[in-house]
Amino acid sequence: NDARYYTVAIDASDYALEEDDVEFLSYTILLDENGEPFATNMVDAEGITLRASGQIFISSEWRTGFDPFVKRFDWEGEQTATLPIPEKFMPADESGMEANFSFESLAITPNDKVLWTASEAALKQDGAPSSPTSDSPARMIMFDAPKRRPMGEHVYVVEAIPNPPPDPERPEPRFPPDNGLVELVTVDNAGTLIAMERSYWDYYGNTVRLFEVKTEGASDVAGYFTLADSPSYTPVSKRQLLELTPDTTPRPDNLEGATFGPLLPDGRYLLILISDNNFGDTQTTQFIAYAVEVE
């Protein structure tokens, strides 16, 4: 029940990813501000990214009893800093991030200067999470990584929940479907990222989409507690790169993480996607690898 990060070796040099190409090497238990392992159910670590200096940043969603956070750790798992989260994001009755729609994503620019995270869906004061008929204006946050302070915010519009193919024999869902912004991967230092959206329909499965995101030209909405106070704003631009559904190969599990690996022998980059198994018996830890060209 402790919070930990794993060191994993992945070999895709032959342009194939088999089960024995993924090797778990070690793990490190994360410590709280008192130097003790986090108490059971007192952290929901979701995002992780590494600075060239060896510092590790980790983001956590929130539940009753603890707040969302972005913290810095060293290789031994000791906490070395906590980044200030703008008040508008903090959970409250009528504002802040929705439960289970908070900090899933985390990424840092290649130059080690800008740290990105985002709400998974709209803040309460900005709107509702996505539905099958409507999208949701999430907020991305830029942090100055060396100085550990917010630099600005942009609106990222999460797509409406994609509907599964019609099936008259499919039972009614046991709980509502969802869709959210679950990961960010930086491509360059100029505000180009890859975003992952993951949706789920009960009795159908996960739909995962990757988008190229450009923040150039997007409005900085950090000064607005609610987007309704902004007379107009320009969200980040998006271009879909990939869609995985229960009907594609590979069939995606609950994919929520992504990272670039090293250059492959032909000059393309390795892009690794990983799932969150939620400690469930019906889910698995899934790695999917792609060779991509970065322009």
Side-chain angles (χ1 to χ4, degrees):
N1 292 318
D2 53 49
R4 57 180 71 184
Y5 74 84
Y6 286 83
T7 303
V8 183
I10 299 174
D11 181 6
S13 58
D14 59 353
Y15 299 92
L17 192 61
E18 309 295 339
E19 186 171 346
D20 59 1
D21 288 330
V22 179
E23 181 182 3
F24 287 82
L25 302 178
S26 64
Y27 69 84
T28 300
I29 295 175
L30 301 176
L31 306 179
D32 63 19
E33 61 273 12
N34 298 316
E36 300 291 335
F38 281 94
T40 301
N41 295 327
M42 290 303 293
V43 63
D44 187 9
E46 295 283 358
I48 183 169
T49 194
L50 176 68
R51 290 193 72 195
S53 61
Q55 297 169 333
I56 298 169
F57 286 97
I58 290 178
S59 62
S60 173
E61 289 202 295
W62 74 275
R63 298 180 189 171
T64 301
F66 65 88
D67 289 331
F69 67 67
V70 178
K71 293 180 181 289
R72 192 183 68 191
F73 297 82
D74 63 20
W75 276 106
E76 286 69 46
E78 292 189 5
Q79 223 176 108
T80 58
T82 298
L83 278 63
I85 306 301
E87 186 63 28
K88 67 173 77 70
F89 286 83
M90 300 305 291
D93 289 342
E94 297 182 0
S95 62
M97 294 183 287
E98 299 272 3
N100 207 36
F101 282 101
S102 47
F103 293 147
E104 288 269 357
S105 57
L106 199 62
I108 197 163
T109 50
N111 65 6
D112 243 17
K113 292 184 178 180
V114 179
L115 188 70
W116 290 92
T117 189
S119 59
E120 193 175 343
L123 307 184
K124 292 178 184 178
Q125 66 269 31
D126 289 339
S130 295
S131 75
T133 57
S134 62
D135 53 31
S136 183
R139 293 207 197 200
M140 302 171 65
I141 314 177
M142 294 180 292
F143 288 95
D144 182 315
K147 296 181 180 179
R148 305 186 305 279
R149 65 188 184 192
M151 297 171 58
E153 300 170 20
H154 298 305
V155 174
Y156 176 102
V157 179
V158 180
E159 302 292 308
I161 301 171
N163 288 289
D167 183 351
E169 297 184 2
R170 183 179 297 125
E172 286 296 314
R174 294 170 294 180
F175 40 83
D178 64 6
N179 189 38
L181 172 58
V182 295
E183 182 63 299
L184 294 168
V185 181
T186 55
V187 176
D188 57 29
N189 300 318
T192 305
L193 304 95
I194 293 175
M196 177 190 291
E197 295 184 26
R198 183 268 303 119
S199 70
Y200 181 77
W201 277 90
D202 193 20
Y203 299 118
Y204 179 61
N206 296 285
T207 296
V208 177
R209 293 170 171 172
L210 297 184
F211 296 89
E212 179 190 63
V213 174
K214 291 186 178 293
T215 63
E216 183 179 5
S219 304
D220 185 348
V221 295
Y224 299 102
F225 184 81
T226 172
L227 294 177
D229 292 339
S230 173
S232 63
Y233 63 85
T234 301
V236 300
S237 63
K238 297 170 59 180
R239 177 173 69 94
Q240 184 170 312
L241 303 174
L242 176 71
E243 180 179 66
L244 299 174
T245 75
D247 300 317
T248 62
T249 301
R251 177 190 174 97
D253 205 292
N254 184 40
L255 295 175
E256 291 188 342
T259 188
F260 278 122
L263 281 172
L264 293 165
D266 66 359
R268 290 182 293 174
Y269 280 87
L270 182 67
L271 179 65
I272 300 289
L273 313 183
I274 185 173
S275 68
D276 179 349
N277 64 20
N278 291 311
F279 304 105
D281 295 336
T282 61
Q283 294 180 261
T284 183
T285 300
Q286 180 183 47
F287 290 83
I288 299 176
Y290 289 96
V292 299
E293 294 182 4
V294 177
E295 298 179 354

